[in-house]
Each structure stands twice: as structure tokens, then as C-alpha cells.
Coordinates of all heavy atoms in Angstrom, one line a residue:
V11 N 90.7 -61.9 -10.0 CA 90.4 -60.5 -9.6 C 89.7 -59.7 -10.7 O 90.3 -59.6 -11.7 CB 91.6 -59.8 -8.9 CG1 91.2 -58.4 -8.4 CG2 92.3 -60.6 -7.9
T12 N 88.5 -59.3 -10.5 CA 87.7 -58.6 -11.5 C 88.2 -57.1 -11.4 O 88.8 -56.6 -10.5 CB 86.2 -58.6 -11.3 OG1 85.9 -58.0 -10.0 CG2 85.7 -60.1 -11.2
D13 N 87.9 -56.4 -12.6 CA 88.1 -55.0 -12.5 C 87.5 -54.2 -11.4 O 88.0 -53.2 -10.8 CB 87.7 -54.3 -13.9 CG 88.6 -54.9 -15.1 OD1 89.7 -55.3 -14.8 OD2 88.1 -54.8 -16.2
E14 N 86.2 -54.7 -11.2 CA 85.4 -54.0 -10.1 C 86.1 -54.2 -8.7 O 86.1 -53.3 -7.9 CB 83.9 -54.6 -10.1 CG 83.1 -54.2 -11.3 CD 83.5 -55.0 -12.5 OE1 84.2 -56.0 -12.5 OE2 83.2 -54.5 -13.7
M15 N 86.6 -55.4 -8.6 CA 87.2 -55.7 -7.3 C 88.5 -54.9 -7.1 O 88.7 -54.3 -6.1 CB 87.6 -57.2 -7.1 CG 86.4 -58.1 -7.0 SD 86.8 -59.8 -7.4 CE 87.9 -60.2 -6.1
F16 N 89.3 -54.8 -8.1 CA 90.6 -54.1 -8.0 C 90.3 -52.6 -7.9 O 91.1 -52.0 -7.2 CB 91.3 -54.4 -9.4 CG 92.7 -53.8 -9.3 CD1 93.6 -54.4 -8.3 CD2 93.2 -53.0 -10.1 CE1 94.9 -53.9 -8.2 CE2 94.5 -52.5 -10.1 CZ 95.3 -52.9 -9.1
A17 N 89.3 -52.1 -8.5 CA 89.0 -50.7 -8.3 C 88.7 -50.3 -6.9 O 88.9 -49.1 -6.4 CB 87.7 -50.3 -9.1
E18 N 88.3 -51.2 -6.0 CA 88.0 -51.0 -4.7 C 89.3 -51.4 -3.7 O 89.1 -51.6 -2.5 CB 86.8 -51.8 -4.2 CG 85.6 -51.4 -4.9 CD 85.1 -50.0 -4.5 OE1 85.2 -49.7 -3.3 OE2 84.7 -49.3 -5.5
A19 N 90.4 -51.6 -4.3 CA 91.6 -52.2 -3.7 C 92.0 -51.3 -2.4 O 92.2 -51.8 -1.3 CB 92.7 -52.3 -4.5
E20 N 92.0 -50.0 -2.5 CA 92.3 -49.1 -1.5 C 91.4 -49.2 -0.3 O 91.8 -49.1 0.9 CB 92.5 -47.7 -1.9 CG 93.1 -46.8 -1.0 CD 93.5 -45.5 -1.5 OE1 93.3 -45.3 -2.7 OE2 94.0 -44.7 -0.7
K21 N 90.1 -49.3 -0.6 CA 89.0 -49.3 0.4 C 89.1 -50.8 1.1 O 88.9 -50.8 2.3 CB 87.7 -49.2 -0.1 CG 86.5 -49.2 0.8 CD 85.2 -49.0 0.1 CE 85.0 -47.7 -0.7 NZ 83.7 -47.6 -1.2
E22 N 89.4 -51.8 0.3 CA 89.4 -53.2 0.9 C 90.6 -53.4 1.8 O 90.6 -54.0 2.7 CB 89.3 -54.1 -0.2 CG 89.2 -55.6 0.2 CD 87.9 -56.1 0.8 OE1 86.9 -55.2 0.8 OE2 87.9 -57.1 1.5
F23 N 91.8 -52.8 1.2 CA 93.1 -53.1 1.9 C 93.8 -51.7 2.1 O 94.7 -51.4 1.3 CB 93.9 -54.0 1.0 CG 93.2 -55.3 0.7 CD1 92.9 -55.7 -0.6 CD2 93.0 -56.2 1.7 CE1 92.3 -56.8 -0.9 CE2 92.4 -57.5 1.4 CZ 92.0 -57.8 0.1
P24 N 93.5 -51.0 3.1 CA 94.1 -49.7 3.3 C 95.6 -49.8 3.7 O 96.3 -48.8 3.5 CB 93.2 -49.0 4.4 CG 92.6 -50.2 5.1 CD 92.3 -51.3 4.0
I25 N 95.9 -50.9 4.3 CA 97.3 -51.2 4.7 C 98.0 -51.9 3.5 O 97.6 -52.9 3.1 CB 97.4 -52.0 5.9 CG1 96.8 -51.3 7.1 CG2 98.9 -52.4 6.3 CD1 96.7 -52.1 8.3
N26 N 99.1 -51.3 3.0 CA 99.8 -51.9 1.9 C 98.9 -52.3 0.7 O 98.8 -53.4 0.3 CB 100.6 -53.2 2.4 CG 101.8 -52.9 3.1 OD1 102.4 -51.8 2.9 ND2 102.4 -53.9 3.9
T27 N 98.1 -51.3 0.2 CA 97.1 -51.6 -0.8 C 97.8 -52.2 -2.1 O 98.9 -51.7 -2.6 CB 96.6 -50.1 -1.3 OG1 96.0 -49.4 -0.1 CG2 95.5 -50.4 -2.3
P28 N 97.3 -53.3 -2.5 CA 97.9 -54.0 -3.7 C 97.8 -53.1 -4.9 O 96.9 -52.4 -5.2 CB 96.9 -55.2 -3.9 CG 96.3 -55.3 -2.6 CD 96.1 -54.0 -2.0
K29 N 98.9 -53.1 -5.7 CA 99.0 -52.3 -6.9 C 98.8 -53.0 -8.1 O 98.7 -52.5 -9.2 CB 100.5 -51.8 -7.0 CG 100.9 -51.0 -5.7 CD 100.0 -49.7 -5.5 CE 100.5 -48.9 -4.3 NZ 99.5 -47.8 -4.1
T30 N 98.7 -54.4 -8.1 CA 98.4 -55.2 -9.2 C 97.3 -56.2 -8.9 O 97.1 -56.6 -7.6 CB 99.6 -55.9 -9.8 OG1 100.0 -56.9 -8.7 CG2 100.7 -55.0 -10.1
K31 N 96.7 -56.8 -9.8 CA 95.6 -57.9 -9.6 C 96.3 -59.1 -9.0 O 95.8 -59.8 -8.1 CB 95.0 -58.3 -10.8 CG 94.0 -57.2 -11.3 CD 93.1 -57.7 -12.5 CE 92.1 -56.7 -12.9 NZ 91.3 -57.2 -14.0
E32 N 97.6 -59.4 -9.4 CA 98.2 -60.5 -8.8 C 98.5 -60.3 -7.3 O 98.3 -61.2 -6.5 CB 99.7 -60.6 -9.5 CG 100.6 -61.8 -8.9 CD 102.0 -61.7 -9.4 OE1 102.4 -60.8 -10.1 OE2 102.7 -62.7 -9.2
A33 N 98.9 -59.1 -6.9 CA 99.1 -58.8 -5.5 C 97.8 -58.8 -4.7 O 97.7 -59.2 -3.6 CB 99.8 -57.3 -5.4
Y34 N 96.8 -58.4 -5.4 CA 95.3 -58.4 -4.7 C 95.0 -59.8 -4.4 O 94.5 -60.1 -3.3 CB 94.4 -57.8 -5.7 CG 93.0 -57.5 -5.2 CD1 92.6 -56.2 -4.8 CD2 92.1 -58.5 -4.9 CE1 91.4 -55.9 -4.3 CE2 90.8 -58.2 -4.4 CZ 90.5 -57.0 -4.1 OH 89.2 -56.7 -3.6
Y35 N 95.2 -60.7 -5.3 CA 94.8 -62.1 -5.0 C 95.6 -62.8 -3.9 O 95.0 -63.4 -3.0 CB 95.1 -63.0 -6.3 CG 94.8 -64.4 -6.2 CD1 93.5 -64.9 -5.9 CD2 95.9 -65.3 -6.4 CE1 93.2 -66.3 -5.8 CE2 95.5 -66.7 -6.3 CZ 94.3 -67.1 -5.9 OH 94.0 -68.5 -5.9
Y36 N 96.9 -62.5 -3.8 CA 97.7 -63.1 -2.6 C 97.2 -62.4 -1.3 O 97.1 -63.1 -0.3 CB 99.2 -62.8 -2.8 CG 99.7 -63.3 -4.1 CD1 100.8 -62.7 -4.7 CD2 99.3 -64.4 -4.8 CE1 101.4 -63.2 -5.9 CE2 99.8 -65.0 -5.9 CZ 100.9 -64.3 -6.5 OH 101.4 -64.8 -7.7
R37 N 96.9 -61.1 -1.4 CA 96.5 -60.4 -0.2 C 95.0 -60.9 0.3 O 94.9 -61.2 1.4 CB 96.2 -58.9 -0.5 CG 95.8 -58.1 0.7 CD 96.9 -58.2 1.9 NE 96.5 -57.4 2.9 CZ 96.6 -56.1 3.0 NH1 97.3 -55.4 2.1 NH2 96.3 -55.4 4.0
Q38 N 94.3 -61.4 -0.6 CA 92.9 -62.0 -0.3 C 93.2 -63.2 0.6 O 92.5 -63.5 1.6 CB 92.1 -62.3 -1.5 CG 91.3 -61.0 -2.2 CD 90.6 -61.5 -3.3 OE1 91.1 -62.3 -4.2 NE2 89.3 -61.1 -3.4
I39 N 94.1 -64.1 0.0 CA 94.3 -65.3 0.7 C 95.0 -65.1 2.1 O 94.6 -65.7 3.1 CB 95.3 -66.1 -0.2 CG1 94.6 -66.6 -1.5 CG2 95.7 -67.4 0.6 CD1 95.6 -67.2 -2.5
F40 N 95.9 -64.2 2.1 CA 96.5 -63.8 3.4 C 95.6 -63.3 4.4 O 95.6 -63.8 5.6 CB 97.6 -62.7 3.1 CG 98.3 -62.2 4.4 CD1 99.5 -62.8 4.8 CD2 97.8 -61.2 5.2 CE1 100.1 -62.4 5.9 CE2 98.5 -60.8 6.3 CZ 99.6 -61.4 6.7
D41 N 94.6 -62.5 4.0 CA 93.6 -61.9 5.0 C 92.8 -63.0 5.5 O 92.1 -62.8 6.6 CB 93.0 -60.7 4.4 CG 93.7 -59.4 4.6 OD1 95.0 -59.5 4.7 OD2 93.2 -58.3 4.6
E42 N 92.5 -64.0 4.7 CA 91.7 -65.1 5.2 C 92.3 -65.8 6.4 O 91.7 -66.3 7.3 CB 91.3 -66.1 4.1 CG 90.5 -65.5 3.0 CD 90.4 -66.6 1.8 OE1 90.8 -67.7 2.0 OE2 89.9 -66.1 0.7
M43 N 93.6 -65.9 6.3 CA 94.4 -66.7 7.3 C 94.9 -65.9 8.5 O 95.0 -66.4 9.5 CB 95.5 -67.4 6.6 CG 95.2 -68.4 5.4 SD 96.8 -68.9 4.6 CE 96.0 -70.0 3.4

């Protein structure tokens, strides 16, 4: 997860917005499935 991606976390994931890059990565995988 890049800094640019993480900066858009709230826009990308308005439900349960990830608070860390680790959480962001798991969320990306989840939303694919």
C-alpha cells in the first residue's frame, strides 16, 4: 500500500475505513472477493 493509496482510504472504503496500511491491504483482498 503506497502513501497515496492510504491517503484515499476513507474515500475508497467508507465502511470501516482502514486505519493502517496492513488493514488496507486485507480490505483490498476482501473487497475483490
